[in-house]
Amino acid sequence: MIAHALIFYLLSSVAILSSLMVISSKNTVHSVFFLILAFVNVSCLFIMIGAEFVGMILLIVYVGAVAVLFLFVVMMLEGNFVKVKQGFLQYMPFGFFIALVIFFELIIIIGSWQFRPEFIKTAKIAYDAKETNTVQIGKLLYTDYFLPFQLSGIVLLVAMIGAILLTF
């Protein structure tokens, strides 16, 4: 139990510090990297409490798509690449340090994760202990909430087509 508390405090403190660095960093590329670090830490916290679906969706959607999109947009808008290339070797140790922190946090989370049945007892929905929460969310989306799920997909499709038409 003490290991879980230490891991929680480590992840939450890194998430808070990286969130503060997002808003206080003068370089926008560094802000995006700190944002990615904050997303990874919050995702690890979600996985730690047993909400692995939410944690993995946060990793896939925000880190995999949104943060990388921010990074590409910021790097495309900033045309001063000579300055970025000159400081590459100077910031490489810091980059390796951040990569090691993320790697060890993921190892700690994956190695120490265990199923906690006391979280299930507080839920008011019917829960089958033989299935993971990802399977149950999928069953719920495709049975009880099939129509709203499909309608939200259509709304997103219309928004995407509208954004494409506005760019032309």
Side-chain angles (χ1 to χ4, degrees), residues 54-135:
V54 177
M56 289 300 150
I57 289 296
L58 189 103
L59 271 178
I60 292 168
V61 172
Y62 286 107
V63 175
V66 175
V68 173
L69 178 70
F70 286 166
L71 184 62
F72 283 144
V73 167
V74 164
M75 290 180 77
M76 294 285 253
L77 292 178
E78 287 192 16
N80 197 358
F81 291 114
V82 176
K83 190 188 252 185
V84 173
K85 289 180 182 177
Q86 287 174 349
F88 177 74
L89 292 176
Q90 179 184 359
Y91 294 115
M92 189 181 292
F94 183 68
F96 278 128
F97 174 71
I98 295 294
L100 283 174
V101 167
I102 292 173
F103 177 72
F104 284 125
E105 285 176 352
L106 288 173
I107 293 296
I108 288 170
I109 287 300
I110 291 171
S112 67
W113 182 81
Q114 62 182 1
F115 179 70
R116 297 215 171 194
E118 60 265 14
F119 291 123
I120 307 301
K121 293 178 186 172
T122 61
K124 294 182 181 180
I125 60 172
Y127 182 78
D128 186 12
K130 297 175 186 173
E131 295 177 338
T132 63
N133 61 0
T134 308
V135 170

Side-chain angles (χ1 to χ4, degrees), residues 13-89:
S13 62
V14 171
I16 290 170
L17 290 175
S18 62
S19 299
L20 289 174
M21 289 303 294
V22 167
I23 59 174
S24 66
S25 180
K26 300 224 185 261
N27 190 345
T28 53
V29 176
H30 292 162
S31 292
V32 172
F33 284 137
F34 282 118
L35 183 69
I36 291 171
L37 181 64
F39 284 155
V40 168
N41 283 304
V42 172
S43 174
C44 290
L45 286 171
F46 276 127
I47 292 170
M48 190 173 160
I49 64 169
E52 59 270 340
F53 179 77
V54 177
M56 289 300 150
I57 289 296
L58 189 103
L59 271 178
I60 292 168
V61 172
Y62 286 107
V63 175
V66 175
V68 173
L69 178 70
F70 286 166
L71 184 62
F72 283 144
V73 167
V74 164
M75 290 180 77
M76 294 285 253
L77 292 178
E78 287 192 16
N80 197 358
F81 291 114
V82 176
K83 190 188 252 185
V84 173
K85 289 180 182 177
Q86 287 174 349
F88 177 74
L89 292 176

